[in-house]
Amino acid sequence: MTVLDDSTAPGLVGPPNSHGPRRDPAPLLPDPEPVRILGTPAAKMFDTELQRELYRRLVLGRRFNQQATTLTRQGRLAVYPASTGQEACQITASMVLREQDWLFPSYRDTLAVVARGVRPVDALTLMRGHAHSGYDPYEHRIAPLSTPLATQAPHAVGLAHAARLRAAADPETAEELVALALVGDGGTSEGDFHEALNFAGVLGAPVVFLVQNNGYAISVPLASQSAAPTLAHKAVGYGIVGRLVDGNDALAMHSVLSAAVEHARSGRGPVLVEAITYRLDAHTNADDATRYRSAAEVDAWRARDPLTLLERHLRAAGLLDDAGVAATARAAEDLATEIRAQFDNPPDPDPDSLFTHVYATPTSQLREQAAELAARRDADAYADAAEDEDEAR
């Protein structure tokens, strides 16, 4: 078979696909097995203080998930998608970024937002239904939590590419900026994800995509979402480096993500990292996970709890003892106490804020809805005043 197209000189026939880029896929292929460091000789090469800090942050992260889940049961949060079991992914994602870098989280990544410095009460504002976002994205360099799946991925590419263009135009303000987008396995089934990878690959944008493959998109197992060998293999089709890592191995996560971020920062292009992990809790407080997975499956993954694995390793290496465990547990309880205190006196949400920060220039529909809300509030206020006057009589 021969192919003729407009790029072929008259009278000549080029070989198939000669008009497109051709690259050796071998350097892009992901690891044949998930990268693991715990239980291997490589673990001895890790900095001692880094290992202890990872443990401390995992313990605090687990307590944060527990406290947020409790607040939901108490009705103080409308919803909370827990990341219990995925803490190693989110903690390391926040740790490998520099101050100038940007984080683009999904709705399940509240822990990563808190770990990067946002107050828990502000990070959870969206889950309370009080505002579109409770923190200033520019102050923290964290995009708002994204509820629509994978829409944050193209945003990450756009910001990273724009920063590079700005740096080229004004070298004095140049920042070696990396954007890290957190996506779930369900998000990889969305068109936004594929568009983001394609743009990132073509532009060579300094972006890292971290896919937390916890096995399910709500109740849909991965086998019903993708027939790819791994989700990391999807990187190859876009000319991006793919990495596969054990998402419950905190040391492996830190190692692979650090390398991916520096790969992107050095101008060598984007990276797609697939972390194999598991969501130990239900999708949200509104989900009954027993309808689509067995207790035996959950117990098997609970035995690979990232916190348990790291604590076991640290104890065996003589880097952690009972006193250290107790001190870290106390710090976690202090965090839980702080979170509860922040929720004791919640501010009254401003209904008018529903219409701000949606569009730079409000659409006609938004203006109409705002006017309708104002009319209802005026009517309610008039009715309340009339009732008070009747009672006064």
Side-chain angles (χ1 to χ4, degrees):
M1 174 182 174
T2 57
V3 175
L4 286 172
D5 61 26
D6 292 338
S7 65
T8 304
L12 297 178
V13 176
N17 302 323
S18 63
H19 53 281
R22 297 178 66 86
R23 297 180 61 183
D24 178 7
L28 307 177
L29 289 170
D31 313 80
E33 294 292 334
V35 174
R36 294 187 176 90
I37 291 181
L38 290 173
T40 74
K44 297 180 181 179
M45 305 298 292
F46 259 76
D47 179 76
T48 297
E49 291 308 312
L50 173 59
Q51 294 185 60
R52 289 193 176 115
E53 180 63 11
L54 278 168
Y55 173 75
R56 186 187 73 83
R57 292 190 179 215
L58 284 184
V59 173
L60 266 61
R62 177 61 53 86
R63 191 65 186 91
F64 171 83
N65 270 315
Q66 292 170 342
Q67 185 61 68
T69 299
T70 298
L71 290 171
T72 307
R73 292 172 180 157
Q74 294 172 344
R76 301 167 85 180
L77 286 178
V79 66
Y80 181 66
S83 58
T84 306
Q86 300 178 216
E87 290 94 347
C89 298
Q90 303 205 9
I91 291 298
T92 54
S94 68
M95 290 180 69
V96 300
L97 295 178
R98 298 181 187 175
E99 184 178 354
Q100 73 266 26
D101 296 333
W102 275 77
L103 181 71
F104 284 79
S106 75
Y107 61 88
R108 195 177 299 282
D109 301 317
T110 314
L111 175 56
V113 172
V114 172
R116 190 150 162 81
V118 175
R119 289 197 316 156
V121 68
D122 295 333
L124 292 167
T125 293
L126 177 67
M127 306 304 170
R128 302 170 82 174
H130 281 194
H132 297 300
S133 180
Y135 55 88
D136 182 351
Y138 295 98
E139 176 186 355
H140 299 282
R141 297 214 164 190
I142 305 173
L145 292 164
S146 175
T147 301
L149 294 185
T151 56
Q152 73 276 18
H155 299 163
V157 178
L159 182 140
H161 182 56
R164 190 169 55 180
L165 293 177
R166 179 178 294 177
D170 187 2
E172 292 185 2
T173 64
E175 291 181 309
E176 294 181 339
L177 182 153
V178 173
L180 195 158
L182 297 168
V183 184
D185 52 285
T188 67
S189 299
E190 297 290 329
D192 294 87
F193 177 77
H194 298 276
E195 292 161 6
L197 263 63
N198 193 54
F199 272 115
V202 170
L203 297 171
V207 182
V208 174
F209 303 95
L210 173 57
V211 177
Q212 299 173 79
N213 178 3
N214 64 23
Y216 294 92
I218 306 182
S219 59
V220 180
L222 182 63
S224 298
Q225 301 178 57
S226 174
T230 70
L231 294 177
H233 275 80
K234 294 181 181 291
V236 182
Y238 300 101
I240 293 176
V241 172
R243 297 298 309 274
L244 185 64
V245 60
D246 183 343
N248 287 10
D249 183 332
L251 301 190
M253 281 299 308
H254 192 278
S255 177
V256 170
L257 277 183
S258 294
V261 167
E262 290 314 307
H263 180 101
R265 195 185 306 281
S266 64
R268 288 178 287 166
V271 182
L272 169 62
V273 178
E274 177 188 357
I276 307 299
T277 185
Y278 195 78
R279 166 172 53 80
L280 291 174
D281 288 345
H283 175 70
T284 67
N285 50 297
D287 174 42
D288 180 6
T290 63
R291 298 180 61 184
Y292 55 85
R293 64 185 193 183
S294 67
E297 177 183 307
V298 177
D299 289 342
W301 276 97
R302 199 176 297 280
R304 288 197 47 76
D305 183 322
L307 182 53
T308 302
L309 292 179
L310 185 57
E311 180 176 329
R312 185 184 302 155
H313 159 74
L314 292 176
R315 284 181 177 274
L319 302 178
L320 185 68
D321 55 18
D322 289 343
V325 170
T328 308
R330 287 194 296 272
E333 286 307 313
D334 289 343
L335 172 64
T337 300
E338 176 187 344
I339 294 173
R340 292 193 297 270
Q342 291 176 2
F343 273 77
D344 281 343
N345 297 300
D348 292 329
D350 178 11
D352 291 331
S353 67
L354 280 170
F355 309 101
T356 58
H357 307 299
V358 179
Y359 292 99
T361 302
T363 63
S364 59
Q365 291 91 343
L366 278 180
R367 292 196 299 270
E368 181 181 345
Q369 292 167 9
E372 181 181 351
L373 176 62
R376 290 188 180 186
R377 294 175 68 187
D378 290 343
D380 289 344
Y382 179 82
D384 290 342
E387 183 177 345
D388 291 343
E389 185 177 344
D390 288 341
E391 290 179 354
R393 293 174 182 170

